[in-house]
Short mmCIF file of all heavy atoms in Angstrom, two decimals:
data_model
loop_
_atom_site.label_atom_id
_atom_site.label_comp_id
_atom_site.label_asym_id
_atom_site.label_seq_id
_atom_site.Cartn_x
_atom_site.Cartn_y
_atom_site.Cartn_z
N VAL A 1 141.41 127.24 75.97
CA VAL A 1 142.06 128.31 75.23
C VAL A 1 143.08 129.02 76.13
O VAL A 1 144.19 129.35 75.70
CB VAL A 1 141.03 129.31 74.65
CG1 VAL A 1 140.30 130.06 75.74
CG2 VAL A 1 141.71 130.26 73.68
N PHE A 2 142.75 129.23 77.40
CA PHE A 2 143.70 129.83 78.34
C PHE A 2 144.84 128.86 78.64
O PHE A 2 146.02 129.22 78.58
CB PHE A 2 143.00 130.19 79.65
CG PHE A 2 142.00 131.31 79.54
CD1 PHE A 2 140.64 131.06 79.63
CD2 PHE A 2 142.42 132.62 79.38
CE1 PHE A 2 139.72 132.09 79.54
CE2 PHE A 2 141.51 133.67 79.29
CZ PHE A 2 140.15 133.40 79.37
N ARG A 3 144.49 127.63 78.98
CA ARG A 3 145.49 126.64 79.38
C ARG A 3 146.51 126.42 78.27
O ARG A 3 147.72 126.35 78.52
CB ARG A 3 144.82 125.32 79.75
CG ARG A 3 145.79 124.34 80.39
CD ARG A 3 145.28 122.92 80.44
NE ARG A 3 143.86 122.79 80.80
CZ ARG A 3 143.28 121.61 80.96
NH1 ARG A 3 143.97 120.50 80.80
NH2 ARG A 3 142.01 121.54 81.26
N ASN A 4 146.03 126.31 77.04
CA ASN A 4 146.93 126.08 75.92
C ASN A 4 147.89 127.25 75.73
O ASN A 4 149.08 127.06 75.47
CB ASN A 4 146.12 125.84 74.65
CG ASN A 4 146.99 125.58 73.44
OD1 ASN A 4 147.72 124.60 73.38
ND2 ASN A 4 146.92 126.48 72.46
N TYR A 5 147.37 128.48 75.83
CA TYR A 5 148.25 129.64 75.72
C TYR A 5 149.31 129.64 76.82
O TYR A 5 150.49 129.89 76.57
CB TYR A 5 147.44 130.93 75.81
CG TYR A 5 146.72 131.32 74.54
CD1 TYR A 5 145.44 131.85 74.58
CD2 TYR A 5 147.34 131.17 73.29
CE1 TYR A 5 144.77 132.22 73.41
CE2 TYR A 5 146.68 131.55 72.12
CZ TYR A 5 145.40 132.06 72.19
OH TYR A 5 144.75 132.44 71.04
N PHE A 6 148.91 129.35 78.05
CA PHE A 6 149.86 129.37 79.16
C PHE A 6 150.91 128.28 79.01
O PHE A 6 152.09 128.49 79.29
CB PHE A 6 149.12 129.23 80.50
CG PHE A 6 148.13 130.32 80.78
CD1 PHE A 6 147.03 130.11 81.60
CD2 PHE A 6 148.27 131.59 80.21
CE1 PHE A 6 146.11 131.11 81.86
CE2 PHE A 6 147.35 132.61 80.46
CZ PHE A 6 146.27 132.36 81.28
N GLU A 7 150.48 127.09 78.57
CA GLU A 7 151.41 125.98 78.40
C GLU A 7 152.40 126.22 77.26
O GLU A 7 153.51 125.68 77.27
CB GLU A 7 150.65 124.68 78.15
CG GLU A 7 149.88 124.17 79.35
CD GLU A 7 149.01 122.96 79.03
OE1 GLU A 7 148.85 122.62 77.84
OE2 GLU A 7 148.48 122.37 79.98
N ASN A 8 151.99 127.00 76.28
CA ASN A 8 152.82 127.24 75.09
C ASN A 8 153.19 128.71 74.95
O ASN A 8 153.38 129.20 73.83
CB ASN A 8 152.08 126.77 73.83
CG ASN A 8 151.89 125.27 73.78
OD1 ASN A 8 152.83 124.53 73.54
ND2 ASN A 8 150.67 124.82 74.02
N ALA A 9 153.32 129.40 76.07
CA ALA A 9 153.54 130.85 76.04
C ALA A 9 154.73 131.24 75.17
O ALA A 9 154.67 132.21 74.40
CB ALA A 9 153.73 131.38 77.46
N GLU A 10 155.81 130.47 75.26
CA GLU A 10 157.01 130.83 74.50
C GLU A 10 156.81 130.69 73.00
O GLU A 10 157.60 131.22 72.21
CB GLU A 10 158.19 129.94 74.95
CG GLU A 10 158.13 128.49 74.51
CD GLU A 10 157.17 127.62 75.31
OE1 GLU A 10 156.55 128.15 76.28
OE2 GLU A 10 157.01 126.43 74.98
N ARG A 11 155.75 130.03 72.58
CA ARG A 11 155.47 129.84 71.17
C ARG A 11 154.49 130.89 70.63
O ARG A 11 154.19 130.90 69.44
CB ARG A 11 154.92 128.42 70.93
CG ARG A 11 155.80 127.35 71.54
CD ARG A 11 155.29 125.96 71.30
NE ARG A 11 155.73 125.46 70.01
CZ ARG A 11 155.56 124.19 69.61
NH1 ARG A 11 154.96 123.32 70.40
NH2 ARG A 11 155.98 123.81 68.42
N PHE A 12 154.01 131.75 71.52
CA PHE A 12 153.09 132.82 71.14
C PHE A 12 153.66 134.22 71.41
O PHE A 12 153.46 135.14 70.59
CB PHE A 12 151.76 132.69 71.88
CG PHE A 12 150.90 131.55 71.40
CD1 PHE A 12 150.97 130.30 72.01
CD2 PHE A 12 150.02 131.71 70.34
CE1 PHE A 12 150.17 129.24 71.58
CE2 PHE A 12 149.23 130.66 69.90
CZ PHE A 12 149.30 129.42 70.51
N VAL A 13 154.32 134.40 72.54
CA VAL A 13 154.80 135.73 72.94
C VAL A 13 155.76 136.28 71.89
O VAL A 13 156.70 135.60 71.47
CB VAL A 13 155.48 135.69 74.31
CG1 VAL A 13 156.13 137.04 74.62
CG2 VAL A 13 154.46 135.35 75.40
N GLY A 14 155.45 137.50 71.46
CA GLY A 14 156.26 138.14 70.41
C GLY A 14 155.54 138.20 69.09
O GLY A 14 156.00 138.87 68.16
N ILE A 15 154.40 137.53 68.99
CA ILE A 15 153.59 137.54 67.77
C ILE A 15 152.36 138.42 68.01
O ILE A 15 151.55 138.15 68.89
CB ILE A 15 153.13 136.12 67.38
CG1 ILE A 15 154.31 135.17 67.22
CG2 ILE A 15 152.28 136.17 66.11
CD1 ILE A 15 155.22 135.47 66.08
N GLY A 16 152.24 139.51 67.25
CA GLY A 16 151.07 140.37 67.36
C GLY A 16 150.84 140.87 68.77
O GLY A 16 151.75 141.37 69.43
N ASN A 17 149.60 140.70 69.27
CA ASN A 17 149.29 141.17 70.63
C ASN A 17 149.54 140.09 71.69
O ASN A 17 149.09 140.21 72.83
CB ASN A 17 147.86 141.70 70.72
CG ASN A 17 146.81 140.60 70.57
OD1 ASN A 17 147.13 139.45 70.27
ND2 ASN A 17 145.55 140.96 70.77
N TYR A 18 150.26 139.06 71.29
CA TYR A 18 150.71 138.07 72.28
C TYR A 18 151.96 138.62 72.96
O TYR A 18 153.09 138.29 72.60
CB TYR A 18 150.99 136.72 71.62
CG TYR A 18 149.77 136.04 71.07
CD1 TYR A 18 149.54 135.97 69.70
CD2 TYR A 18 148.83 135.46 71.93
CE1 TYR A 18 148.42 135.34 69.19
CE2 TYR A 18 147.70 134.83 71.42
CZ TYR A 18 147.50 134.77 70.06
OH TYR A 18 146.38 134.15 69.56
N THR A 19 151.75 139.47 73.93
CA THR A 19 152.82 140.12 74.67
C THR A 19 152.76 139.65 76.13
O THR A 19 151.80 139.01 76.56
CB THR A 19 152.66 141.64 74.63
OG1 THR A 19 151.41 141.98 75.28
CG2 THR A 19 152.63 142.16 73.19
N GLU A 20 153.79 139.99 76.87
CA GLU A 20 153.77 139.67 78.30
C GLU A 20 152.58 140.35 78.97
O GLU A 20 151.92 139.76 79.83
CB GLU A 20 155.08 140.11 78.96
CG GLU A 20 156.31 139.34 78.49
CD GLU A 20 156.32 137.88 78.94
OE1 GLU A 20 155.45 137.49 79.74
OE2 GLU A 20 157.19 137.12 78.47
N GLU A 21 152.29 141.58 78.57
CA GLU A 21 151.15 142.30 79.13
C GLU A 21 149.84 141.62 78.75
O GLU A 21 148.91 141.52 79.56
CB GLU A 21 151.14 143.75 78.65
CG GLU A 21 152.31 144.60 79.13
CD GLU A 21 153.60 144.34 78.35
OE1 GLU A 21 153.55 143.62 77.31
OE2 GLU A 21 154.65 144.83 78.79
N GLY A 22 149.77 141.14 77.50
CA GLY A 22 148.58 140.44 77.05
C GLY A 22 148.34 139.16 77.82
O GLY A 22 147.21 138.82 78.18
N PHE A 23 149.43 138.43 78.10
CA PHE A 23 149.30 137.20 78.88
C PHE A 23 148.87 137.51 80.31
O PHE A 23 148.10 136.75 80.92
CB PHE A 23 150.60 136.40 78.84
CG PHE A 23 150.63 135.39 77.73
CD1 PHE A 23 150.74 135.79 76.40
CD2 PHE A 23 150.51 134.04 77.99
CE1 PHE A 23 150.76 134.87 75.37
CE2 PHE A 23 150.52 133.10 76.97
CZ PHE A 23 150.64 133.52 75.66
N ALA A 24 149.35 138.63 80.86
CA ALA A 24 148.91 139.03 82.19
C ALA A 24 147.41 139.30 82.20
O ALA A 24 146.70 138.95 83.16
CB ALA A 24 149.69 140.27 82.64
N GLN A 25 146.92 139.93 81.12
CA GLN A 25 145.48 140.18 81.00
C GLN A 25 144.70 138.87 80.98
O GLN A 25 143.63 138.75 81.59
CB GLN A 25 145.19 140.98 79.73
CG GLN A 25 145.66 142.42 79.78
CD GLN A 25 144.61 143.36 80.37
OE1 GLN A 25 143.74 142.93 81.12
NE2 GLN A 25 144.73 144.64 80.06
N MET A 26 145.23 137.87 80.27
CA MET A 26 144.54 136.58 80.20
C MET A 26 144.51 135.89 81.56
O MET A 26 143.52 135.24 81.92
CB MET A 26 145.19 135.68 79.16
CG MET A 26 144.90 136.09 77.72
SD MET A 26 145.28 134.79 76.51
CE MET A 26 147.08 134.78 76.55
N ARG A 27 145.59 136.03 82.33
CA ARG A 27 145.62 135.40 83.65
C ARG A 27 144.58 136.04 84.58
O ARG A 27 143.99 135.36 85.43
CB ARG A 27 147.02 135.48 84.24
CG ARG A 27 148.03 134.64 83.48
CD ARG A 27 149.38 134.55 84.16
NE ARG A 27 150.35 133.87 83.32
CZ ARG A 27 150.43 132.55 83.17
NH1 ARG A 27 149.60 131.77 83.85
NH2 ARG A 27 151.34 132.02 82.38
N VAL A 28 144.35 137.31 84.40
CA VAL A 28 143.30 137.98 85.18
C VAL A 28 141.92 137.56 84.67
O VAL A 28 140.97 137.39 85.46
CB VAL A 28 143.46 139.51 85.08
CG1 VAL A 28 142.26 140.22 85.68
CG2 VAL A 28 144.74 139.96 85.77
N ALA A 29 141.80 137.37 83.37
CA ALA A 29 140.50 137.08 82.76
C ALA A 29 140.00 135.68 83.05
O ALA A 29 138.78 135.46 83.14
CB ALA A 29 140.56 137.31 81.25
N GLN A 30 140.90 134.68 83.17
CA GLN A 30 140.43 133.31 83.30
C GLN A 30 139.52 133.11 84.52
O GLN A 30 138.43 132.53 84.38
CB GLN A 30 141.56 132.30 83.33
CG GLN A 30 141.03 130.87 83.35
CD GLN A 30 142.09 129.81 83.24
OE1 GLN A 30 143.25 130.04 83.58
NE2 GLN A 30 141.71 128.64 82.73
#
């Protein structure tokens, strides 16, 4: 779930809580 988000970040960022800050949170969480 983390890897897929990171690999496809440009296809998620900008939708809902898929923000740059949200992705930073995921990188800390993994």
Side-chain angles (χ1 to χ4, degrees):
V1 66
F2 292 108
R3 190 195 319 184
N4 180 64
Y5 281 140
F6 299 154
E7 291 174 350
N8 293 287
E10 72 283 357
R11 309 181 84 171
F12 288 93
V13 172
I15 304 293
N17 68 353
Y18 293 107
T19 62
E20 294 291 352
E21 295 78 9
F23 268 71
Q25 289 272 23
M26 286 196 289
R27 293 188 187 280
V28 171
Q30 185 174 25

